[in-house]
Amino acid sequence: MKLTRACLAALCHLLLLECSTVNATWWLLGMQSSIDLQMTSNTYQNTCQKLHYLVARQRELCGLDRNILQSVGRGAKTGIEECQWQFRGYRWNCSTFNNNTSVFGGVVAVKSRERAYIHAVSAAGVAYSITRACSRGEIAECGCDQRILTRRAKRWEWGGCSEDVDFGRMFSKEFVDSNEERNSAEGQMNLHNNEAGRRIIKKSLVRLCKCHGVSGSCNMQVCWRKMAPFREIGDKLRKKFDSATMMRTVRRRRRLRLKPKYPRQKRPTRRDLVYLEDSPNYCDRNDKFGIAGTRGRECNRTSWGMDGCKLLCCGRGFRTEVLELSEKCNCRFVYCCHVQCEQCNRTVERHTCN
Ligand SMILES: *[C@@H]1O[C@H](CO)[C@@H](O)[C@H](O)[C@H]1NC(C)=O
Ligand SMILES: *[C@@H]1O[C@H](CO)[C@@H](O)[C@H](O)[C@H]1NC(C)=O
Ligand SMILES: *[C@@H]1O[C@H](CO)[C@@H](O)[C@H](O)[C@H]1NC(C)=O
């Protein structure tokens, strides 16, 4: 009950009235605050069953443990925030809408490389967040990776809590992939990219160690494995975005498969991103796809990259404003006891696209 009461009025309106007609998804969980996803009552399984924007399998998984929904929500949010950070200087900046059931707006209707990134980073977000929740003991069904303790190591011993990424990945696969239709080109693309996101997580495990032994001699080390900060996963996926492969579908023994569209391209590995359609034009406003266009976006005059005025403004040019900022400066400590500052003026230039 708490969930429905607390959620955004606009969102509820969409969910309750239009849930049977539009294709809303679990990404909506990332738009809600963590508190709203907290399930305190013992009837949380019933609450799960009422979440119409989840498919049946997802509602079932939600009922597995009272902390699942919050962890999935945290994962979705982590993915969305990472996407917005990675693409902050791009024409498409991963903007989200909380008045639309599709969260990322109409752009996800195009099977583009942007969509590939969204899928990979959000599937990775769920695997990451569930894995972390397991190692913190927040979910009864999982915990630390015990299997690693039996592994032989040369100069150290495994101990402590190694994060169980296999559980997180498996959960993410069950939860996220149950939204996809296996027998369509689009479903194949999404499944591939979801899996690519999850595989990057496994690659990003780092070993941390602690010394033991008499007076800092460190003749005994205890080590455990932990996932790298999510930023690293976002960075790696951004590189995969840059080198994503365009695919086409072929039917082989009545099964749909993806193949590189251009024969000279190398076959993508399972950690690479794939897409099926060229991106729409993100330069100009397009209401059909909910694309805001780059007019009014702030750009960097000295950059030759995507965030530079030349590329971001799509050749339309830009305006420069000179802003006068007044801020505290030359602060010093006065005995006794306060800090005295001067007021300094500083001018900055701000460039925005025409
Ligand atoms: C959502 O809100 C934005 C402005 O915030 C508006 O441009 C857009 O049309 C709205 N979309 C829907 C589906 O209501
Ligand atoms: C809202 O989402 C629907 C698909 O669910 C899409 O067709 C529509 O274009 C979106 N609207 C905006 C403003 O992005
Ligand atoms: C993305 O760009 C739009 C303008 O096109 C801006 O309103 C929005 O704040 C930006 N979003 C992010 C996450 O930077």
Side-chain angles (χ1 to χ4, degrees):
M1 247 358 259
K2 192 153 180 280
L3 185 77
T4 20
R5 207 165 0 100
C7 75
L8 296 163
L11 207 53
C12 281
H13 176 75
L14 283 169
L15 295 180
L16 298 177
L17 299 178
E18 296 169 36
C19 59
S20 51
T21 54
V22 296
N23 188 16
T25 70
W26 66 275
W27 286 325
L28 279 170
L29 290 171
M31 303 294 283
Q32 295 173 38
S33 89
S34 202
I35 306 281
D36 295 342
L37 297 177
Q38 221 164 37
M39 300 212 275
T40 43
S41 99
N42 281 327
T43 56
Y44 67 88
Q45 271 125 339
N46 291 339
T47 311
C48 289
Q49 285 307 321
K50 288 194 194 111
L51 299 174
H52 298 291
Y53 52 96
L54 300 183
V55 299
R57 177 70 181 137
Q58 292 173 336
R59 282 181 237 150
E60 201 181 307
L61 288 165
C62 163
L64 206 61
D65 188 283
R66 75 167 75 230
N67 287 332
I68 292 274
L69 194 67
Q70 203 181 26
S71 294
V72 173
R74 213 180 278 145
K77 191 185 281 280
T78 304
I80 291 170
E81 285 171 359
E82 186 58 30
C83 180
Q84 295 186 337
W85 163 264
Q86 293 291 340
F87 288 89
R88 67 202 182 283
Y90 279 60
R91 289 175 183 169
W92 173 75
N93 66 357
C94 202
S95 38
T96 49
F97 302 83
N98 51 30
N99 61 352
N100 197 317
T101 47
S102 83
V103 179
F104 296 99
V107 289
V108 290
V110 185
K111 304 177 207 67
S112 63
R113 61 169 81 213
E114 285 77 18
R115 180 171 182 162
Y117 189 89
I118 290 174
H119 274 266
V121 83
S122 55
V126 171
Y128 195 91
S129 161
I130 293 285
T131 301
R132 186 66 30 103
C134 292
S135 68
R136 288 186 179 147
E138 289 170 6
I139 297 173
E141 282 69 24
C142 57
C144 305
D145 184 356
Q146 301 295 340
R147 286 164 308 166
I148 205 167
L149 299 177
T150 62
R151 260 201 226 175
R152 233 174 240 275
K154 280 208 179 98
R155 279 180 302 241
W156 71 85
E157 248 174 55
W158 290 109
C161 177
S162 288
E163 292 193 303
D164 190 358
V165 286
D166 289 332
F167 184 90
R169 280 174 57 198
M170 190 186 71
F171 182 90
S172 169
K173 196 178 174 67
E174 285 284 313
F175 189 93
V176 178
D177 289 6
S178 61
N179 211 23
E180 305 300 341
E181 210 211 303
R182 251 151 241 284
N183 217 4
S184 72
E186 190 175 346
Q188 286 288 318
M189 167 181 155
N190 296 343
L191 288 168
H192 180 103
N193 294 322
N194 291 348
E195 183 61 20
R198 291 188 289 261
R199 285 189 177 228
I200 300 265
I201 301 241
K202 181 118 190 185
K203 275 271 170 186
S204 79
L205 280 171
V206 289
R207 196 177 72 231
L208 299 174
C209 296
K210 206 172 177 175
C211 281
H212 289 279
V214 279
S215 57
S217 64
C218 201
N219 48 20
M220 236 276 279
Q221 279 194 80
V222 173
C223 302
W224 62 95
R225 289 205 303 191
K226 195 175 164 100
M227 295 178 294
F230 199 75
R231 174 61 27 90
E232 277 181 33
I233 288 148
D235 287 343
K236 283 184 187 158
L237 287 175
R238 236 287 310 290
K239 294 203 182 91
K240 298 290 186 191
F241 168 89
D242 292 333
S243 63
T245 312
M246 192 171 199
M247 309 294 271
R248 66 190 173 91
T249 46
V250 290
R251 215 166 256 290
R252 203 176 286 151
R253 284 191 225 104
R254 272 188 284 145
R255 278 191 59 197
L256 214 53
R257 284 180 179 275
L258 299 181
K259 273 189 75 173
K261 176 153 183 193
Y262 305 104
R264 280 201 197 153
Q265 267 177 322
K266 81 167 181 43
R267 239 193 122 66
T269 68
R270 298 182 78 176
R271 284 195 301 279
D272 290 325
L273 298 188
V274 300
Y275 64 102
L276 292 163
E277 291 172 355
D278 286 322
S279 302
N281 170 358
Y282 297 112
C283 287
D284 306 314
R285 190 190 163 101
N286 178 335
D287 289 330
K288 183 173 155 236
F289 291 137
I291 295 170
T294 65
R295 182 179 304 276
R297 286 275 299 277
E298 192 170 340
C299 61
N300 181 344
R301 206 183 61 175
T302 53
S303 162
W304 290 95
M306 266 328 291
D307 62 339
C309 294
K310 197 174 157 66
L311 284 179
L312 188 63
C313 306
C314 307
R316 293 185 309 257
F318 58 94
R319 290 189 310 157
T320 301
E321 295 167 272
V322 178
L323 304 174
E324 187 108 353
L325 297 182
S326 174
E327 52 195 27
K328 284 184 177 150
C329 60
N330 302 330
C331 296
R332 65 204 160 84
F333 182 75
V334 181
Y335 192 79
C336 180
C337 293
H338 69 282
V339 176
Q340 212 169 46
C341 294
E342 290 168 32
Q343 207 70 25
C344 294
N345 289 339
R346 189 164 67 93
T347 56
V348 289
E349 289 190 335
R350 187 169 172 267
H351 313 287
T352 49
C353 293
N354 288 330

